C-alpha cells in the first residue's frame, strides 16, 4: 500500500490507502462527507453531487509520484512510499510467470542429439516417448524420424538415445525452474528479485 496522508485543516484528517502498482493514476475527491479515490485522472467524477476534486496524481513503483493537480484545501498532505513487502507481493507472481515462460521456451526450443536437430515441443516429446517404448519392446525396430534437417532412419538404440536426451533436456529445464522459483520466493528486496533471470 501507499497512502495519501492529509493533516487536519480545511479538510478532515485522513489516511487514504492506495494499492501498490507499477504505474497508476488517481484522483482524490471529497464527496458525501468522505474521501473517494478514483483510478483515473482528467474528466473523471464520482457522480456524487457537490463533489470536490482535491488531487490528481501519477504514482509509480515504490516511490515515484507526479502531481498533476492539487487543491489548496489539502496543503501539507504526504504521499508515502510502498513497503518492500508490498512491492514483493505485487512483483513476485509476475516473476514466477516470467520464470515459467522462460522454462517453456527453453524446454520446447529443440536440442541436437548426435548431430540431429530434434524438436522438443510437447507433441514431439510424446511421439519420441512412443517410439522409445516400441524400441524397448522390439530391439529390431526402426523408423523414419523427421528432424529439422529432414527424414533420417533411426534404429532402436538410436531412438532410445534420442528419447533419453530429450528427457534429460526437459528435466533440466524443470530443475532450473524449480531453483529459480525457490530463489524468487526467498528474496527480500525488489532489487534481488529483478536479478533473477532465466
Amino acid at each position: 500500500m501507499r497512502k495519501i496522508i492529509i493533516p487536519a485543516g480545511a479538510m478532515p484528517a485522513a489516511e487514504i490507502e492506495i494499492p501498490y502498482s507499477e504505474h497508476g493514476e488517481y484522483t482524490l475527491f471529497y464527496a458525501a462527507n468522505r474521501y473517494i479515490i478514483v483510478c483515473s485522472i482528467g474528466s473523471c467524477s464520482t457522480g456524487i453531487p457537490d463533489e470536490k476534486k482535491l488531487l490528481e496524481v501519477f504514482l509509480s513503483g515504490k516511490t515515484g509520484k507526479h502531481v498533476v493537480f492539487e487543491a489548496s484545501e489539502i496543503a501539507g498532505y504526504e504521499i508515502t512510499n510502498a513497503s518492500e513487502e508490498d512491492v514483493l507481493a505485487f512483483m513476485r507472481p509476475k516473476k514466477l510467470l516470467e520464470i515459467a515462460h522462460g522454462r517453456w521456451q527453453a524446454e520446447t526450443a529443440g536440442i541436437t542429439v548426435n548431430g540431429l536437430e530434434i524438436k522438443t515441443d510437447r507433441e514431439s516429446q510424446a511421439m519420441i516417448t512412443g517410439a522409445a517404448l516400441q524400441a524397448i519392446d522390439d530391439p529390431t525396430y526402426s523408423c523414419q524420424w523427421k528432424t529439422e534437417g529432414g527424414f533420417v532412419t533411426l534404429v532402436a538404440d538410436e531412438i532410445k538415445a534420442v528419447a533419453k536426451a530429450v528427457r534429460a533436456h526437459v528435466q533440466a529445464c524443470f530443475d532450473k525452474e524449480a531453483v529459480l522459483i525457490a530463489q524468487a520466493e526467498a528474496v527480500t528486496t525488489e532489487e534481488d528479485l529483478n536479478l533473477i533471470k532465466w
Side-chain angles (χ1 to χ4, degrees), residues 10 12 14 18 24 26-27 36 41 44 48 60 65 72 93 102 111 121 131 137 139 142 169 177 179 181:
I18 301 173
Y26 305 93
T27 300
I36 300 170
I41 64 168
C44 59
I48 300 172
S60 58
K65 59 188 173 187
S72 59
I111 60 172
D121 58 84
D137 186 57
S142 68
H169 163 74
E177 180 184 12
V179 169
I181 285 175

Side-chain angles (χ1 to χ4, degrees), residues 11 27-38 40-56 69 71 73:
M11 303 297 295
T27 300
L28 177 64
F29 292 93
Y30 192 77
N33 298 314
R34 61 193 174 100
Y35 291 100
I36 300 170
I37 279 281
V38 175
S40 181
I41 64 168
S43 59
C44 59
S45 170
T46 65
I48 300 172
D50 302 320
E51 69 181 19
K52 183 166 187 60
K53 182 183 290 186
L54 299 175
L55 182 69
E56 289 181 312
F69 164 81
E73 289 90 340

